[in-house]
Amino acid sequence: MELLHVLLAASYILLVSFSQSSSLCQGKTLPYMTPDVTKISGRSFDYIIVGGGTAGCPLAATLSKRYSVLVVERGSSPYENPSVLQKKFYGFPLLQTNEFSSVSQSFISKDGVSNLRGRVLGGSSTIGGGFYGRASDAFVRRAGWDEELVKESYEWVESKLVSKPELTKWQSAVKFGLLEAGILPYNGFSLEHVEGTKMGGTLFDHDGRRRISADLLGTGNPDNIVVLLNATVKNIIFHKKGTENEKTAHGIRFIRSDGNASQTYEAYLQQLANSGSWGDVILSAGALGSPQILLLSGIGPKRHLKSFGIPLVLDFPEIGQEMIDNPSISVLVESGPEAQLPDPPQIAGIAEDFKFIVQGLILPISINATIIPIAIKLAFPASKGKLELNNTDPRQNPLVEFNYLAKEKDMEECVKMVQLVERVAGSKSIAGFLKTESNNNSKSPHELREFCKKNVRTFYHYHGGCAVGSVVDNNYRVHGVKRLRVVDGSSFLESPGTNPTATLMMLGRYQGIKILEERHPA
C-alpha cells in the first residue's frame, strides 16, 4: 500500500497546483479552444487540420503565422488533467479506457494483439513514454527531405519541449545492463540515432511535468488558431459540379465525439486572402485515423466502400495498405519486496546495425502495483498488413491486421531479439538493482520460435496506411485529389529512430514551413 499512499498524496498536491496554473495555460500561451461544435459549424478557415496530435499541433502553429487554422481534435484537452501531465503518473492514463472519452483508446488487431491510440490534444506525445530521439541520417535521406530544414525543425521542437533527463537508479541499471549485454559503445547523452547505448532526450522537464506537442500551439498566432475539442471528423466534403463529385476537398463533416453520430456539423475551406488559391484539408489523425477518414470519405478500394454503402469519390486500392507495426518482445523481471514507482524510459540500446531497439521501464498495472519489463523491438520488419473499415462510425476503431512475424525473416530476427533481451534482463546490473540473482535462461531454437509466436507484442509505433509514394506525393498531397494532404505517421514506410515522436513533431513543423514557402516563395 506504500505506493498507493505516495500516489494519492502526490495527486492532492497536483490537483491544487493545476487548478492554479490551468487558467494560465489556457490564457496567454494557448489559442482559443472549445468543445462546442455549434461555435464552429458553418465557419470557414484557410486550413483545416484533422487531428490535434503529435504532428498536427506543430503544423497548426506554423501555418498560423500567416493563415487561419481550424484544428479538430476528437479528444479532450490535457491541461486540466494532472494524471496525464505528470511523470509521477506515467502509464496510469493507459489503464482505464472507454468507448468515447478516455485519453487513450484501446483496440485489438486481427492478430489478437492489444494496442492503444491517443485520443487527447497532443496525441501520443501526451500518453507515451516521453523518450525523445531524432531519426537516423539514413532515414532522412530515404525520405528525400531537405536535411538543413529537418535539422532546423528538430531544433525548433527541442528548444521548446526537450530536456536532458536526470537518470533514475532504475535507468542507470538499464544502462549498465545494456552495456553488459554487448550493446556498445556508450554514447552518453545524444538526440541522434546512433548505434550503441545512449541517454536520449525527454519530454518530462526537471519538475516532472510532461511537455507535449500541444504546447507548441502557444508558439503560433493565437488569433489565427481555433481548436475544436471532443469532435470527430466523419468525412471530407468535396466540391460538387452538377450531380457529380469533383475530387477537390471543400471542408469537413464532423460529430460530437460523445454524441449522436447522425447529428453532423460542417466547416469549410475558404479562399486565401490576396490570392486566387485555396488552402487544404490536412489529415493528421494518425496511422489508424487518417486512412479510416479517407475510406469514410469515399476514397479507397471500390468494392470495400460499396459494401458499406459509401459513395465512391476515387477508387484507390492503396488506402489502408502497408500497415506495419514493429514486433516487440518483453521480458518481465522480478523485483524485490520494495515497491517501485512508475519510471519511463531514459536509456536506449540500439543494436545489430540499427535493427534492434531495447529499453527498460516500470509500468503501473493498477493503482498500487507495477511491472518491470525489458522490451525490445524489431525496427525494420518485412511483414505488412492492412486496414479496413469495421463500420461507418468514425469514433469506432477500424479493423487492422499487422501480420506480426509472418515473414520468415522477421521470425529469425525475433529469435535473435529474445536472446539479446534475455541477456540484458539477466545481467548483474539489473539483478543488483532488483536485489535478485542474475539469471540467463537458455532456450532451444524451437523454444525460441514458440516463445516469439506466443509473446509477440506491440511497441506502439505502428505506421502506414497512407504511405508516401503510393498514397501521397513528396509534398504529402493525396494523389488524384486537390486540396487534401496527409501529414502524420500513416505516411511512414518505417518507424524513425527509437520512436516516432520526435520525427512526427519535426514533420509537422517541416511541412508547415514547406507549405508557407509554396504560398510565399522567396
Side-chain angles (χ1 to χ4, degrees), residues 262-368:
S262 64
Q263 178 62 58
T264 62
Y265 306 85
E266 295 182 357
Y268 311 103
L269 292 174
Q270 64 188 11
Q271 198 167 22
L272 303 180
N274 304 316
S275 170
S277 62
W278 295 71
D280 304 298
V281 172
I282 306 176
L283 301 185
S284 295
L288 266 60
S290 290
Q292 179 186 27
I293 291 169
L294 289 175
L295 293 170
L296 291 172
S297 302
I299 299 174
K302 181 178 181 179
R303 182 177 296 178
H304 181 57
L305 299 181
K306 185 177 181 181
S307 68
F308 288 94
I310 298 172
L312 183 70
V313 173
L314 180 64
D315 185 12
F316 207 148
E318 292 80 6
I319 303 296
Q321 298 298 311
E322 297 189 84
M323 293 297 299
I324 302 170
D325 194 11
N326 302 90
S328 171
I329 294 292
S330 291
V331 173
L332 296 181
V333 294
E334 297 291 335
S335 64
E338 192 175 325
Q340 302 293 343
L341 289 170
D343 196 350
Q346 300 172 323
I347 295 289
I350 303 165
E352 292 286 323
D353 196 24
F354 298 94
K355 287 189 296 188
F356 301 153
I357 312 293
V358 192
Q359 293 185 304
L361 51 156
I362 303 177
L363 277 172
I365 54 174
S366 69
I367 191 66
N368 58 359

Side-chain angles (χ1 to χ4, degrees), residues 1-13 88-89 341:
M1 294 297 289
E2 179 185 352
L3 179 61
L4 174 61
H5 292 152
V6 170
L7 292 170
L8 288 176
S11 178
Y12 174 76
I13 294 168
K88 288 184 179 71
F89 295 95
L341 289 170

Side-chain angles (χ1 to χ4, degrees), residues 234 254-256 259-264 392-395:
K234 192 167 187 178
F254 54 94
I255 61 175
R256 290 187 176 92
N260 187 336
S262 64
Q263 178 62 58
T264 62
T392 57
D393 186 343
R395 300 168 301 178

Side-chain angles (χ1 to χ4, degrees), residues 221-243:
N221 181 347
D223 295 330
N224 274 350
I225 305 176
V226 173
V227 180
L228 176 60
L229 299 166
N230 300 313
T232 300
V233 170
K234 192 167 187 178
N235 53 37
I236 300 161
I237 301 169
F238 295 93
H239 266 311
K240 289 186 176 180
K241 184 177 182 181
T243 59

